[in-house]
Coordinates of all heavy atoms in Angstrom, one line a residue:
V30 N 30.4 155.8 -7.2 CA 29.2 156.0 -7.9 C 29.5 156.9 -9.1 O 30.2 157.9 -9.0 CB 28.1 156.7 -7.0 CG1 26.9 157.1 -7.8 CG2 27.8 155.8 -5.9
A31 N 28.8 156.6 -10.3 CA 28.9 157.4 -11.5 C 27.5 157.7 -12.0 O 26.6 156.8 -11.8 CB 29.7 156.8 -12.5
I32 N 27.2 158.8 -12.5 CA 25.9 159.2 -13.0 C 26.0 159.5 -14.5 O 26.9 160.3 -14.9 CB 25.3 160.4 -12.2 CG1 25.2 160.0 -10.7 CG2 24.0 160.8 -12.7 CD1 24.9 161.1 -9.8
Y33 N 25.1 159.0 -15.3 CA 25.0 159.3 -16.7 C 24.8 160.8 -16.9 O 24.2 161.5 -16.1 CB 23.9 158.6 -17.4 CG 24.3 157.2 -17.8 CD1 24.6 156.2 -16.9 CD2 24.4 156.9 -19.2 CE1 25.0 154.9 -17.3 CE2 24.7 155.6 -19.6 CZ 25.0 154.6 -18.7 OH 25.4 153.4 -19.1
R34 N 25.4 161.3 -17.9 CA 25.3 162.7 -18.2 C 23.9 163.3 -18.3 O 23.6 164.3 -17.8 CB 26.1 163.0 -19.5 CG 26.1 164.5 -19.8 CD 26.9 164.7 -21.1 NE 27.0 166.1 -21.3 CZ 27.7 166.7 -22.2 NH1 28.5 166.0 -22.9 NH2 27.7 168.0 -22.3
D35 N 23.0 162.4 -18.8 CA 21.6 162.9 -18.9 C 20.8 162.6 -17.6 O 19.6 162.8 -17.5 CB 20.9 162.2 -20.1 CG 20.8 160.7 -20.0 OD1 21.3 160.1 -19.0 OD2 20.4 160.1 -21.0
R36 N 21.5 162.0 -16.6 CA 21.0 161.7 -15.3 C 19.9 160.7 -15.3 O 19.0 160.7 -14.4 CB 20.5 163.0 -14.6 CG 21.7 164.0 -14.4 CD 21.3 165.2 -13.7 NE 22.4 166.1 -13.7 CZ 22.5 167.2 -13.0 NH1 21.5 167.5 -12.2 NH2 23.6 167.9 -13.0
T37 N 19.8 159.8 -16.3 CA 18.8 158.8 -16.3 C 19.3 157.5 -15.6 O 18.4 156.7 -15.3 CB 18.4 158.5 -17.8 OG1 19.6 158.0 -18.5 CG2 17.8 159.7 -18.5
R38 N 20.6 157.3 -15.5 CA 21.1 156.1 -14.9 C 22.2 156.4 -13.9 O 22.9 157.3 -14.0 CB 21.7 155.2 -16.0 CG 20.7 154.7 -17.0 CD 21.3 153.9 -18.1 NE 20.3 153.4 -19.0 CZ 20.4 152.2 -19.6 NH1 21.5 151.5 -19.5 NH2 19.4 151.8 -20.4
V39 N 22.3 155.5 -12.9 CA 23.3 155.5 -11.9 C 24.1 154.2 -11.9 O 23.5 153.1 -12.0 CB 22.6 155.7 -10.5 CG1 23.7 155.7 -9.4 CG2 21.8 157.0 -10.5
V40 N 25.4 154.3 -11.8 CA 26.3 153.2 -11.8 C 27.0 153.1 -10.4 O 27.5 154.1 -10.0 CB 27.3 153.3 -12.9 CG1 28.2 152.0 -12.9 CG2 26.6 153.4 -14.3
A41 N 27.0 152.0 -9.8 CA 27.8 151.8 -8.6 C 28.4 150.4 -8.6 O 28.0 149.5 -9.4 CB 26.9 151.9 -7.4
W42 N 29.4 150.1 -7.8 CA 30.1 148.9 -7.8 C 30.4 148.4 -6.4 O 30.5 149.2 -5.5 CB 31.3 148.9 -8.7 CG 32.4 149.9 -8.2 CD1 33.4 149.6 -7.3 CD2 32.4 151.3 -8.4 NE1 34.1 150.7 -7.1 CE2 33.5 151.8 -7.7 CE3 31.6 152.1 -9.2 CZ2 33.9 153.1 -7.8 CZ3 32.0 153.5 -9.2 CH2 33.1 154.0 -8.6
H43 N 30.5 147.1 -6.2 CA 31.0 146.5 -5.0 C 31.7 145.3 -5.4 O 31.2 144.4 -6.1 CB 29.7 146.2 -4.1 CG 30.1 145.5 -2.8 ND1 30.8 146.2 -1.8 CD2 30.0 144.3 -2.4 CE1 31.0 145.4 -0.8 NE2 30.5 144.2 -1.1
H44 N 33.0 145.2 -4.9 CA 33.9 144.1 -5.3 C 34.0 144.0 -6.8 O 34.3 144.9 -7.5 CB 33.5 142.8 -4.7 CG 33.6 142.8 -3.2 ND1 34.7 143.0 -2.5 CD2 32.6 142.8 -2.2 CE1 34.5 143.0 -1.2 NE2 33.2 142.9 -1.0
S45 N 33.5 142.9 -7.4 CA 33.7 142.7 -8.9 C 32.4 142.9 -9.6 O 32.3 142.5 -10.8 CB 34.3 141.3 -9.2 OG 33.4 140.3 -8.7
T46 N 31.3 143.4 -8.9 CA 30.0 143.5 -9.5 C 29.7 145.0 -9.8 O 29.8 145.8 -8.8 CB 28.9 142.9 -8.7 OG1 29.2 141.5 -8.4 CG2 27.5 143.1 -9.3
I47 N 29.3 145.4 -11.0 CA 28.9 146.7 -11.3 C 27.4 146.7 -11.6 O 27.0 145.8 -12.4 CB 29.7 147.2 -12.5 CG1 31.2 147.2 -12.3 CG2 29.2 148.6 -12.9 CD1 32.0 147.4 -13.5
C48 N 26.6 147.5 -11.0 CA 25.2 147.6 -11.2 C 24.8 148.9 -11.8 O 25.4 150.0 -11.4 CB 24.5 147.4 -9.9 SG 24.8 145.8 -9.1
I49 N 23.8 148.9 -12.7 CA 23.3 150.1 -13.3 C 21.8 150.1 -13.0 O 21.1 149.2 -13.2 CB 23.5 150.0 -14.9 CG1 25.0 149.9 -15.2 CG2 22.9 151.3 -15.5 CD1 25.3 149.6 -16.7
W50 N 21.4 151.3 -12.5 CA 20.0 151.5 -12.1 C 19.4 152.7 -12.8 O 20.1 153.6 -13.2 CB 19.9 151.9 -10.6 CG 20.2 150.8 -9.6 CD1 19.3 149.8 -9.2 CD2 21.4 150.5 -9.0 NE1 20.0 148.9 -8.3 CE2 21.2 149.4 -8.2 CE3 22.7 151.1 -9.0 CZ2 22.3 148.8 -7.4 CZ3 23.7 150.6 -8.2 CH2 23.5 149.5 -7.4
D51 N 18.1 152.6 -13.0 CA 17.3 153.7 -13.6 C 17.2 154.7 -12.4 O 16.7 154.4 -11.3 CB 15.9 153.2 -14.0 CG 15.0 154.3 -14.6 OD1 14.7 155.2 -13.8 OD2 14.7 154.2 -15.7
A52 N 17.6 155.9 -12.7 CA 17.7 157.0 -11.7 C 16.3 157.4 -11.2 O 16.2 157.8 -10.0 CB 18.5 158.2 -12.2
S53 N 15.3 157.3 -12.0 CA 14.0 157.8 -11.6 C 13.1 156.7 -10.9 O 12.4 157.0 -10.0 CB 13.2 158.3 -12.8 OG 13.0 157.3 -13.7
T54 N 13.3 155.4 -11.2 CA 12.5 154.4 -10.6 C 13.3 153.5 -9.6 O 12.6 152.8 -8.8 CB 12.0 153.4 -11.7 OG1 13.1 152.7 -12.3 CG2 11.2 154.1 -12.8
G55 N 14.6 153.6 -9.7 CA 15.4 152.7 -8.8 C 15.5 151.3 -9.3 O 16.1 150.4 -8.6
Q56 N 14.9 151.0 -10.4 CA 15.0 149.6 -10.9 C 16.4 149.3 -11.4 O 17.0 150.1 -12.1 CB 14.0 149.5 -12.1 CG 14.0 148.1 -12.7 CD 13.1 148.0 -13.9 OE1 12.4 149.0 -14.3 NE2 13.0 146.8 -14.5
Q57 N 16.9 148.1 -11.0 CA 18.2 147.7 -11.5 C 18.0 147.2 -13.0 O 17.2 146.4 -13.3 CB 18.7 146.5 -10.7 CG 20.1 146.2 -11.1 CD 20.7 145.2 -10.1 OE1 20.4 145.2 -8.9 NE2 21.7 144.4 -10.5
L58 N 18.8 147.8 -13.9 CA 18.7 147.6 -15.3 C 19.7 146.5 -15.8 O 19.4 145.8 -16.7 CB 19.0 148.9 -16.1 CG 18.0 150.0 -15.7 CD1 18.5 151.3 -16.5 CD2 16.6 149.6 -16.1
C59 N 20.9 146.5 -15.2 CA 22.0 145.6 -15.7 C 23.0 145.3 -14.6 O 23.2 146.2 -13.7 CB 22.6 146.3 -16.9 SG 23.8 145.3 -17.8
T60 N 23.5 144.1 -14.6 CA 24.6 143.8 -13.7 C 25.8 143.3 -14.5 O 25.6 142.5 -15.4 CB 24.2 142.7 -12.7 OG1 23.1 143.1 -12.0 CG2 25.3 142.3 -11.8
L61 N 26.9 143.9 -14.3 CA 28.2 143.5 -15.0 C 29.1 142.8 -14.0 O 29.4 143.3 -13.0 CB 28.9 144.8 -15.6 CG 28.0 145.8 -16.3 CD1 28.8 147.0 -16.6 CD2 27.4 145.2 -17.6
E62 N 29.6 141.7 -14.4 CA 30.4 140.9 -13.5 C 31.9 140.9 -14.1 O 32.1 140.4 -15.1 CB 30.0 139.4 -13.4 CG 28.7 139.2 -12.7 CD 28.7 139.5 -11.2 OE1 29.8 139.4 -10.7 OE2 27.7 139.8 -10.7
G63 N 32.7 141.6 -13.3 CA 34.1 141.7 -13.7 C 35.0 140.6 -13.2 O 34.6 139.9 -12.2
P64 N 36.2 140.4 -13.7 CA 37.0 139.3 -13.2 C 37.7 139.6 -11.9 O 38.1 138.7 -11.2 CB 38.0 139.1 -14.4 CG 38.1 140.5 -15.0 CD 36.7 141.0 -14.9
Q65 N 37.9 140.9 -11.6 CA 38.6 141.3 -10.4 C 37.8 142.4 -9.7 O 36.9 143.1 -10.4 CB 40.0 141.9 -10.8 CG 40.9 141.0 -11.4 CD 41.4 139.9 -10.5 OE1 41.6 140.1 -9.3 NE2 41.6 138.7 -11.0
P66 N 38.0 142.6 -8.5 CA 37.3 143.8 -7.8 C 37.6 145.1 -8.5 O 38.8 145.3 -8.9 CB 37.9 143.7 -6.4 CG 38.4 142.3 -6.2 CD 38.8 141.9 -7.5
V67 N 36.6 145.9 -8.6 CA 36.8 147.3 -9.2 C 37.5 148.1 -8.1 O 36.9 148.5 -7.1 CB 35.5 147.9 -9.6 CG1 35.7 149.3 -10.1 CG2 34.8 147.0 -10.6
A68 N 38.8 148.4 -8.3 CA 39.6 149.1 -7.4 C 39.7 150.6 -7.7 O 39.9 151.4 -6.8 CB 41.0 148.5 -7.3
H69 N 39.5 151.0 -8.9 CA 39.7 152.3 -9.3 C 38.6 153.0 -10.0 O 38.7 154.0 -10.7 CB 41.0 152.4 -10.1 CG 42.2 151.9 -9.4 ND1 42.7 152.5 -8.3 CD2 42.9 150.8 -9.6 CE1 43.8 151.9 -7.9 NE2 43.9 150.8 -8.7
G70 N 37.4 152.4 -9.8 CA 36.2 153.1 -10.3 C 35.7 152.8 -11.7 O 36.2 151.9 -12.3
V71 N 34.7 153.6 -12.1 CA 34.1 153.4 -13.4 C 34.0 154.8 -14.1 O 34.1 155.8 -13.4 CB 32.7 152.8 -13.4 CG1 32.8 151.4 -12.8 CG2 31.8 153.6 -12.6
A72 N 33.9 154.8 -15.4 CA 33.7 156.0 -16.2 C 32.7 155.6 -17.3 O 32.6 154.5 -17.7 CB 35.0 156.5 -16.8
I73 N 31.9 156.6 -17.6 CA 30.8 156.5 -18.7 C 31.2 157.4 -19.8 O 31.5 158.6 -19.6 CB 29.5 156.9 -18.1 CG1 29.2 156.0 -16.8 CG2 28.4 156.7 -19.1 CD1 28.1 156.6 -16.0
S74 N 31.1 156.9 -21.0 CA 31.3 157.7 -22.2 C 30.2 158.8 -22.3 O 29.2 158.7 -21.7 CB 31.3 156.9 -23.5 OG 30.0 156.3 -23.7
M75 N 30.6 159.9 -22.9 CA 29.6 161.0 -23.0 C 28.3 160.7 -23.6 O 27.3 161.2 -23.2 CB 30.3 162.2 -23.8 CG 31.5 162.8 -23.1 SD 31.0 163.7 -21.6 CE 30.6 165.3 -22.4
D76 N 28.3 159.8 -24.6 CA 27.1 159.4 -25.2 C 26.4 158.2 -24.5 O 25.3 157.8 -24.9 CB 27.3 159.0 -26.7 CG 28.2 157.8 -26.9 OD1 28.6 157.2 -25.9 OD2 28.4 157.5 -28.1
G77 N 27.0 157.7 -23.5 CA 26.4 156.7 -22.6 C 26.4 155.3 -23.2 O 25.8 154.3 -22.7
T78 N 27.1 155.1 -24.3 CA 27.1 153.8 -25.0 C 28.3 152.8 -24.5 O 28.3 151.7 -24.9 CB 27.2 153.9 -26.5 OG1 28.5 154.5 -26.8 CG2 26.1 154.7 -27.0
R79 N 29.2 153.4 -23.7 CA 30.3 152.6 -23.2 C 30.5 152.9 -21.7 O 30.3 154.0 -21.3 CB 31.6 152.8 -24.0 CG 31.6 152.5 -25.4 CD 31.5 151.0 -25.6 NE 31.5 150.5 -27.0 CZ 30.3 150.2 -27.6 NH1 29.2 150.2 -27.0 NH2 30.4 149.8 -28.8
L80 N 30.9 151.9 -21.0 CA 31.3 152.0 -19.6 C 32.6 151.4 -19.4 O 32.9 150.3 -20.0 CB 30.2 151.3 -18.8 CG 30.4 151.5 -17.3 CD1 29.0 151.9 -16.7 CD2 30.9 150.3 -16.6
M81 N 33.5 152.0 -18.7 CA 34.8 151.5 -18.4 C 35.0 151.2 -16.9 O 34.5 152.0 -16.1 CB 35.9 152.5 -18.8 CG 37.3 152.0 -18.6 SD 38.5 153.4 -18.6 CE 38.0 154.3 -17.1
S82 N 35.6 150.1 -16.6 CA 35.9 149.8 -15.2 C 37.4 149.5 -15.1 O 38.0 149.0 -16.1 CB 35.1 148.7 -14.6 OG 35.4 147.5 -15.3
A83 N 38.0 149.9 -14.0 CA 39.4 149.6 -13.8 C 39.6 148.9 -12.5 O 39.0 149.2 -11.5 CB 40.1 151.0 -13.8
D84 N 40.5 147.8 -12.6 CA 40.9 147.1 -11.4 C 42.4 147.3 -11.2 O 43.0 148.2 -11.9 CB 40.4 145.7 -11.4 CG 41.0 144.9 -12.6 OD1 42.2 145.0 -12.9 OD2 40.2 144.1 -13.2
R85 N 43.0 146.5 -10.4 CA 44.4 146.8 -10.1 C 45.3 146.6 -11.3 O 46.4 147.3 -11.4 CB 44.9 145.8 -9.1 CG 44.3 146.1 -7.7 CD 44.9 145.2 -6.7 NE 44.1 145.2 -5.5 CZ 43.6 144.1 -5.0 NH1 43.9 142.9 -5.4 NH2 42.8 144.2 -3.9
H86 N 45.0 145.7 -12.3 CA 45.9 145.4 -13.4 C 45.3 145.5 -14.8 O 45.9 145.3 -15.8 CB 46.5 144.0 -13.2 CG 47.2 143.8 -11.9 ND1 48.4 144.4 -11.6 CD2 46.8 143.2 -10.8 CE1 48.8 144.1 -10.4 NE2 47.8 143.3 -9.9
S87 N 44.0 145.9 -14.8 CA 43.3 145.9 -16.1 C 42.3 147.0 -16.2 O 41.8 147.5 -15.2 CB 42.5 144.6 -16.3 OG 43.4 143.5 -16.2
V88 N 41.9 147.3 -17.5 CA 40.8 148.2 -17.8 C 39.9 147.4 -18.6 O 40.3 146.7 -19.6 CB 41.3 149.5 -18.5 CG1 40.2 150.3 -18.9 CG2 42.3 150.2 -17.6
H89 N 38.6 147.5 -18.3 CA 37.6 146.8 -19.1 C 36.6 147.8 -19.7 O 36.2 148.7 -19.0 CB 36.8 145.8 -18.2 CG 37.8 144.9 -17.4 ND1 38.4 143.8 -17.9 CD2 38.2 145.0 -16.1 CE1 39.1 143.2 -17.0 NE2 39.1 144.0 -15.9
V90 N 36.2 147.5 -20.9 CA 35.2 148.3 -21.6 C 33.9 147.5 -21.8 O 34.0 146.3 -22.3 CB 35.7 148.9 -23.0 CG1 34.7 149.7 -23.7 CG2 37.0 149.7 -22.7
W91 N 32.8 148.0 -21.4 CA 31.5 147.3 -21.4 C 30.5 148.0 -22.3 O 30.5 149.2 -22.5 CB 30.9 147.3 -20.0 CG 31.8 146.7 -19.0 CD1 32.8 147.4 -18.3 CD2 31.8 145.4 -18.4 NE1 33.4 146.6 -17.4 CE2 32.8 145.4 -17.4 CE3 31.1 144.3 -18.7 CZ2 33.1 144.2 -16.7 CZ3 31.3 143.1 -18.0 CH2 32.3 143.1 -17.0
D92 N 29.5 147.2 -22.8 CA 28.3 147.8 -23.4 C 27.3 147.8 -22.2 O 26.9 146.7 -21.8 CB 27.8 146.9 -24.5 CG 26.5 147.4 -25.1 OD1 25.7 147.9 -24.4 OD2 26.3 147.2 -26.3
P93 N 26.9 148.9 -21.7 CA 26.1 149.0 -20.5 C 24.6 148.6 -20.8 O 23.9 148.4 -19.8 CB 26.2 150.4 -20.1 CG 26.5 151.2 -21.3 CD 27.3 150.3 -22.2
F94 N 24.3 148.4 -22.0 CA 22.9 148.0 -22.4 C 22.7 146.5 -22.4 O 21.7 146.0 -22.0 CB 22.4 148.7 -23.7 CG 22.4 150.2 -23.6 CD1 23.5 150.9 -24.1 CD2 21.4 150.9 -22.9 CE1 23.5 152.3 -24.0 CE2 21.4 152.2 -22.8 CZ 22.5 153.0 -23.4
T95 N 23.8 145.8 -22.9 CA 23.7 144.4 -23.0 C 24.5 143.7 -21.8 O 24.2 142.5 -21.6 CB 24.3 143.9 -24.3 OG1 25.7 144.2 -24.3 CG2 23.6 144.5 -25.5
G96 N 25.4 144.4 -21.2 CA 26.2 143.8 -20.1 C 27.4 143.0 -20.6 O 28.1 142.4 -19.9
V97 N 27.6 143.1 -21.9 CA 28.7 142.4 -22.6 C 30.0 143.2 -22.4 O 30.1 144.4 -22.6 CB 28.5 142.2 -24.1 CG1 29.7 141.6 -24.8 CG2 27.3 141.3 -24.3
R98 N 31.1 142.5 -21.9 CA 32.4 143.1 -21.8 C 33.0 143.1 -23.2 O 33.2 142.0 -23.8 CB 33.3 142.3 -20.9 CG 34.6 143.0 -20.6 CD 35.4 142.4 -19.5 NE 34.9 141.0 -19.1 CZ 35.6 140.1 -18.5 NH1 36.9 140.4 -18.2 NH2 35.1 138.9 -18.3
L99 N 33.3 144.2 -23.8 CA 33.8 144.3 -25.2 C 35.3 144.1 -25.3 O 35.7 143.6 -26.3 CB 33.4 145.7 -25.7 CG 31.9 146.0 -25.7 CD1 31.6 147.5 -26.1 CD2 31.1 145.1 -26.6
R100 N 36.0 144.6 -24.3 CA 37.4 144.5 -24.3 C 38.0 144.5 -22.9 O 37.5 145.2 -22.1 CB 38.0 145.7 -25.1 CG 39.4 145.6 -25.4 CD 39.9 146.5 -26.5 NE 39.1 146.1 -27.7 CZ 39.6 146.0 -28.9 NH1 40.9 146.3 -29.1 NH2 38.9 145.7 -29.9
S101 N 39.1 143.8 -22.7 CA 39.9 143.9 -21.5 C 41.3 144.2 -21.9 O 41.9 143.6 -22.8 CB 39.8 142.6 -20.7 OG 38.5 142.4 -20.2
L102 N 41.8 145.2 -21.3 CA 43.2 145.6 -21.5 C 44.0 145.4 -20.3 O 43.8 146.0 -19.2 CB 43.3 147.1 -21.9 CG 42.3 147.5 -23.1 CD1 42.2 149.0 -23.1 CD2 42.8 147.0 -24.4
H103 N 45.0 144.5 -20.4 CA 45.9 144.2 -19.2 C 47.1 145.1 -19.3 O 47.9 145.0 -20.2 CB 46.2 142.8 -19.2 CG 45.0 141.9 -19.2 ND1 44.2 141.7 -18.1 CD2 44.4 141.2 -20.2 CE1 43.2 140.9 -18.4 NE2 43.3 140.6 -19.7
V104 N 47.2 146.1 -18.4 CA 48.2 147.2 -18.5 C 49.2 147.2 -17.4 O 49.9 148.2 -17.3 CB 47.4 148.5 -18.7 CG1 46.6 148.6 -19.9 CG2 46.5 148.8 -17.5
G105 N 49.3 146.2 -16.6 CA 50.2 146.2 -15.5 C 49.5 146.8 -14.3 O 48.3 146.5 -14.1
Q106 N 50.1 147.7 -13.6 CA 49.5 148.2 -12.4 C 48.8 149.5 -12.7 O 49.3 150.4 -13.3 CB 50.6 148.5 -11.3 CG 50.0 148.9 -10.0 CD 51.0 148.9 -8.9 OE1 52.1 148.6 -9.1 NE2 50.6 149.3 -7.7
V107 N 47.5 149.5 -12.4 CA 46.6 150.7 -12.6 C 46.5 151.5 -11.4 O 46.1 151.0 -10.3 CB 45.2 150.2 -13.1 CG1 44.3 151.4 -13.4 CG2 45.4 149.4 -14.4
C108 N 46.8 152.8 -11.5 CA 46.6 153.7 -10.3 C 45.4 154.6 -10.5 O 44.8 155.1 -9.6 CB 47.8 154.5 -10.0 SG 48.3 155.6 -11.2
C109 N 45.0 154.8 -11.8 CA 43.8 155.6 -12.1 C 43.5 155.3 -13.6 O 44.4 154.8 -14.3 CB 44.0 157.1 -11.9 SG 45.4 157.8 -12.8
A110 N 42.3 155.7 -14.0 CA 42.0 155.4 -15.4 C 40.9 156.5 -15.8 O 40.2 157.0 -15.0 CB 41.4 154.0 -15.6
A111 N 40.9 156.7 -17.1 CA 40.0 157.7 -17.7 C 39.6 157.3 -19.1 O 40.3 156.5 -19.7 CB 40.6 159.1 -17.7
M112 N 38.4 157.8 -19.6 CA 37.9 157.5 -20.9 C 37.8 158.8 -21.7 O 37.4 159.8 -21.1 CB 36.6 156.8 -20.8 CG 36.0 156.4 -22.1 SD 34.3 155.7 -22.0 CE 34.7 154.2 -21.2
S113 N 38.1 158.8 -23.0 CA 37.9 159.9 -23.8 C 36.4 160.2 -23.9 O 35.6 159.4 -23.7 CB 38.5 159.7 -25.2 OG 37.9 158.7 -25.9
T114 N 36.1 161.5 -24.3 CA 34.7 161.9 -24.3 C 33.8 161.1 -25.3 O 32.7 160.9 -25.1 CB 34.5 163.4 -24.6 OG1 35.2 163.6 -25.8 CG2 35.1 164.2 -23.5
D115 N 34.5 160.6 -26.4 CA 33.7 159.8 -27.3 C 33.7 158.3 -27.0 O 33.2 157.5 -27.7 CB 34.3 160.0 -28.8 CG 35.7 159.6 -28.9 OD1 36.3 159.1 -28.0 OD2 36.2 159.8 -30.1
G116 N 34.4 157.9 -25.9 CA 34.5 156.5 -25.5 C 35.4 155.6 -26.4 O 35.5 154.4 -26.2
A117 N 36.1 156.2 -27.3 CA 37.0 155.5 -28.2 C 38.4 155.1 -27.6 O 39.0 154.2 -28.0 CB 37.2 156.2 -29.5
R118 N 38.8 155.9 -26.6 CA 40.1 155.7 -26.0 C 40.0 155.7 -24.5 O 39.2 156.4 -23.9 CB 41.1 156.8 -26.4 CG 41.4 156.8 -27.9 CD 42.3 157.9 -28.3 NE 41.6 159.2 -28.1 CZ 40.9 159.8 -29.0 NH1 40.7 159.3 -30.2 NH2 40.3 161.0 -28.7
V119 N 40.9 154.8 -23.9 CA 41.1 154.8 -22.4 C 42.5 155.1 -22.1 O 43.4 154.8 -22.9 CB 40.6 153.5 -21.8 CG1 39.1 153.3 -22.0 CG2 41.4 152.3 -22.3
A120 N 42.8 155.6 -20.9 CA 44.1 155.9 -20.5 C 44.2 155.3 -19.1 O 43.3 155.4 -18.3 CB 44.4 157.3 -20.4
A121 N 45.3 154.6 -18.8 CA 45.5 154.0 -17.4 C 46.9 154.2 -17.0 O 47.8 154.3 -17.9 CB 45.1 152.5 -17.4

């Protein structure tokens, strides 16, 4: 589970599906479908405009408002992943 910095949204995942909910109403806002199960979690940029998910071999960057996957980086074996505070860089 990941929570937006302003606490307005909650992100959780199961297998290859990432869901974003409104924290106050519980309404599901967006569903993101990844190519692989999310093995190493998600991260949210400080401004909330980018979401990163990591699976065993890739890191994916998403627009959490549209559900569009913006980029997939195939990096070999991923054991952990992080996003810079401005959402411009990821490390895996």
Side-chain angles (χ1 to χ4, degrees):
V30 174
I32 300 171
Y33 272 67
R34 184 177 183 169
D35 63 4
R36 299 181 183 193
T37 59
R38 294 175 178 214
V39 177
V40 181
W42 63 94
H43 181 68
H44 295 295
S45 60
T46 302
I47 301 166
C48 297
I49 303 172
W50 288 277
D51 182 294
S53 62
T54 66
Q56 178 184 2
Q57 187 170 332
L58 302 173
C59 190
T60 301
L61 312 173
E62 292 289 338
Q65 298 290 326
V67 178
H69 301 293
V71 298
I73 305 162
S74 64
M75 293 290 275
D76 65 2
T78 62
R79 297 290 179 261
L80 185 133
M81 179 198 69
S82 65
D84 59 44
R85 290 185 200 128
H86 303 288
S87 305
V88 175
H89 308 281
V90 179
W91 306 82
D92 180 323
F94 298 101
T95 65
V97 172
R98 189 170 15 155
L99 302 173
R100 184 162 304 221
S101 291
L102 307 166
H103 304 284
V104 294
Q106 189 167 358
V107 177
C108 65
C109 60
M112 180 184 293
S113 63
T114 56
D115 64 359
R118 293 178 296 270
V119 296

